[in-house]
Each structure stands twice: as C-alpha cells, then as structure tokens.
Amino acid sequence: MAVTQNFQTLRMDYLSISSALSLYRKPAQLKAILAELKPPLVSLQDETPLKPIVPKTTSKQRPFTVTYLINSCGLSLESAISVSDKVQFQFPERPDSVLTLLRNYGFSKTRISNLIRKRPMLLLSDPENTLLPKLEFFQSIGLSSNELARILSSDPTLLTRNLENQIMPTYDFLKSVLLSDEKIVAALKRTTWVFLEDPSKNLMPNVTYLRESGVPQRCVSLLLTHFPEAVMQKHEPFVETVREVKEMGFDPKKSTFVLAVHALSGKGNKSIWERCYEVYKRWCWSNDDILSAFRKHPHSMMLSEKKIMKSMDYFVNEMGWASRAIAECPVVLFFSLEKRIIPRCSVFQVLLSKGLIKEGFSLTTVLLPVDKRFLERFVMRYQEEVPELLSVYQGKVKLEGL
C-alpha cells in the first residue's frame, strides 16, 4: 500500500512539473516550482536508504505445501512453514507415493515426521528408483523394518547417498574387515557415519595402520563393530592415539589395546579420561594405580563422575574396603549399585556378623560370580542358619532387623 501511494505521489508530481513547464519558461519561475516540490521528493526516502522489498513467505502464499505437511506428515504449523522454505510442491502424487513407501516399511507417524522435518526434499525423491533400492538393500543385510525406521528417522541423510557409488562400496569394505552382515549392522546401529563417509578417507588407512601395528583381525573387528566412531577419526590423530596407547604399555594383540584406543579417541573421550583421572585422585589413587586400573579395564576411564563417586563411597565408607583395592579390580565399578553390589554386600555383612564366613573374602569373590553361583554359595548354603538371608538379598529385609 505504501509503495502504491508513493508511486501515485511521484506521478502527480511529474504531471505538475509537466504542466508547469508548459506554462512557465523563465528559469526563476521553474526554480520556485521545483523548490515547492522538493519536500515530497525527499520524504519518499524517509530520511533513510530504501531497502529492497522482499516478499515475506507465509503459509497463505503456499497453502498446499503447508497444509500437506501438517495433514499428511504430522508437522506442526510452525514446522510446516519452516520446512516449506526448503521444499514446495503443488500436487500430492509424488509425496504421497514416498509416504506410502515409508509406511510399508514400518515408519510410524512420528518417525515420518522426524524424517521429513530433517530431510524434506526426500518427499520429492523417486520412490521406486531411488528410495526403494536403498531400503531393500539395508533390509537384505539384516536390518528389521523397525530398526531401519528408527535409524533413518534419526538420520535420514543415509537416504540421500548414492547406492552404487557410496553405500555399496562402503558395505564391501566393511564386509572385508568384519566378515559378517551381523557385525556391519551392529556398526551401523552405533553410527550412520560408517556409511556416510567415503571409507578411503579415514576408515581404510586407520584399519591398515592397526594391522601394521600388530593388532589382530579379531581386535580390529571388535573396535570397528562396537566403536566405529573411534576408527573413523582423522588419520593423523588416530595414529597419535595408537602410539600413545602403545607407550602406556598395552599389548596390541589383546582386546584391551583397542578398548584403550577407543577410550582415548577424540577430544570428547580424552576429556572424560582426564575427568576420571581427577576423580580417582580424590580417592587417593596414585598415578600407577590409575594406569594399572586403565590397563586392566580401559573403560574404567569412561565412567561418569557420579557413578565412580557413589560406588567408591559405598565400597570404602560402607564396606570398609581399602580404596586402592578397587584399583586392583576396577571391573566392580561397572556393576549396578542397587541390583548387584548392595544386595551381595548385604548378604556378606550378615554372614560375617554371624561368624558364618571369615573376613578374608575378597571383593572379586563376592561380586564377580554369576547370580546362580553366588546364590548357591552364599545364600542357599546358609538358609537353615539364616532363614531371612534370601529376603536380605532381595532387599525385603533390612540389615538392622537381623
């Protein structure tokens, strides 16, 4: 409206000038007329430079796309308007066929919404020639419909990769290392990046370096299957990590070597390692204690501070065990405090208080055996002497009541 009014003002001014020129020929008279017209001409600029007029996109200007995204894809109005900045269409046939394909492969409404919100251009993909072959491929290597829908709704970028030029060559390389589709699927569940990045960039040279460093096939497979992100680091930092692990005294032929590589790979994991180091220091572990625990169980340097503190507090302050004794058997830090540590230690305390066992029992004797073996050795064996022992183990009877 403002632009129209300004145009009409200019038009009227032009007509006024034209009429004036036809009536007055003297310069002084023309000067006076132009002076009178000056304020309106300046006011058009509104005392600031005019900005280009860019029409604001609203749902009213593309009602079909926005309505379709809301009704067929389950997006909110706000999300639909945002997504319609990236994709527009006037006819439902192609998007309908894409959604039908996804539903046939087990995608729920929620997962379809997530997928379209992240990769809206997939609505315009050729469902039969582009999307279907990729879905068929991933199912052929062992992904269930539910697993496939979960992975792709989380990161639909995988559907934008070329099957022949990216996905298949990556699969061929992974198969040459992992030897089974089951392990490839496990790696894919860990991170879709294992199929998104060109394997020749980092994955291939990193696997080659592990082999050259004396890491056996089974350990390379272990690392790539369960922690593929570690093997997908940039090559130079990866080489540095492998060398660091060697210098710490790890044997490349053992699985702990590649677990240590994982624990030290990337800035995030190294930050966690350093935080764990400081937490163990608070419990009076020496440098040698910490490195010894790391060599025995590398992932002891990937636990949360809360988990370490709660477990150590119970072992040291409740059970009276020496702090450094935990460093000798760091695997106990991974057990559930509520489901394993407290129930077993409660049984141990009852038996100890009644003189049925001696204090010489080690941490590993109490916490490492499988449930069946522990129940046979420490609960069923003493049922006659302490009938409530099973209830203590199950948490139904408190120690104070015995």
Side-chain angles (χ1 to χ4, degrees), residues 133-200:
K134 296 172 188 176
L135 295 173
E136 288 177 336
F137 168 77
F138 285 114
Q139 275 204 337
S140 73
I141 66 173
L143 276 171
S144 68
S145 294
N146 184 59
E147 290 170 335
L148 187 57
R150 178 182 58 79
I151 291 170
L152 293 178
S153 63
S154 175
D155 187 5
T157 308
L158 200 55
L159 287 174
T160 69
R161 292 297 191 265
N162 186 279
L163 182 62
E164 290 75 20
N165 298 333
Q166 173 65 32
I167 296 175
M168 288 298 297
T170 300
Y171 167 80
D172 291 338
F173 174 72
L174 291 173
K175 189 67 176 281
S176 71
V177 179
L178 300 180
L179 307 179
S180 75
D181 286 348
E182 184 180 1
K183 291 181 178 180
I184 294 173
V185 168
L188 176 58
K189 288 179 182 179
R190 290 285 301 185
T191 175
T192 56
W193 274 102
V194 75
F195 270 95
L196 295 178
E197 186 177 89
D198 180 357
S200 65

Side-chain angles (χ1 to χ4, degrees), residues 18 37-39 48 51-52 59 62 85 187 230 263 292 305 335 381:
S18 299
L37 293 172
K38 185 176 181 180
T48 58
K51 295 181 180 179
S59 59
R62 46 189 175 199
D85 285 335
S292 173
E305 179 177 352
F335 297 147
R381 183 177 178 180

Side-chain angles (χ1 to χ4, degrees), residues 289-326:
D289 290 333
I290 294 172
L291 287 178
S292 173
F294 183 47
R295 291 190 195 100
K296 291 176 180 177
H297 206 308
H299 283 175
S300 61
M301 299 301 284
M302 296 189 75
L303 292 168
S304 70
E305 179 177 352
K306 181 179 179 181
K307 172 62 176 167
I308 295 172
M309 292 299 291
K310 286 182 68 175
S311 297
M312 290 296 293
D313 179 64
Y314 185 83
F315 289 139
V316 175
N317 297 325
E318 291 292 327
M319 295 301 298
W321 284 322
S323 172
R324 296 180 68 181
I326 314 302

Side-chain angles (χ1 to χ4, degrees), residues 61 150 236 256:
Q61 290 173 288
R150 178 182 58 79
E236 289 185 7
T256 49

Side-chain angles (χ1 to χ4, degrees), residues 78-135:
E78 183 180 0
S79 293
I81 293 174
S82 175
V83 166
S84 67
D85 285 335
K86 302 170 185 175
V87 63
Q88 296 95 36
F89 45 88
Q90 293 299 321
F91 303 101
E93 287 76 15
R94 175 58 64 85
D96 277 350
S97 59
V98 170
L99 296 183
T100 298
L101 176 64
L102 294 176
R103 293 188 191 103
N104 289 341
Y105 270 80
F107 283 73
S108 64
K109 291 181 179 179
T110 301
R111 284 174 173 167
I112 287 176
S113 297
N114 290 337
L115 184 145
I116 299 305
R117 187 164 46 247
K118 294 171 182 176
R119 289 287 174 177
M121 285 302 294
L122 287 173
L123 281 172
L124 300 182
S125 298
D126 184 334
E128 189 165 339
N129 297 314
T130 301
L131 299 181
L132 179 59
K134 296 172 188 176
L135 295 173

Side-chain angles (χ1 to χ4, degrees), residues 252-268:
K253 290 181 173 54
K254 294 183 178 179
S255 60
T256 49
F257 184 91
V258 291
L259 295 179
V261 169
H262 171 239
L264 289 170
S265 65
K267 293 181 180 179

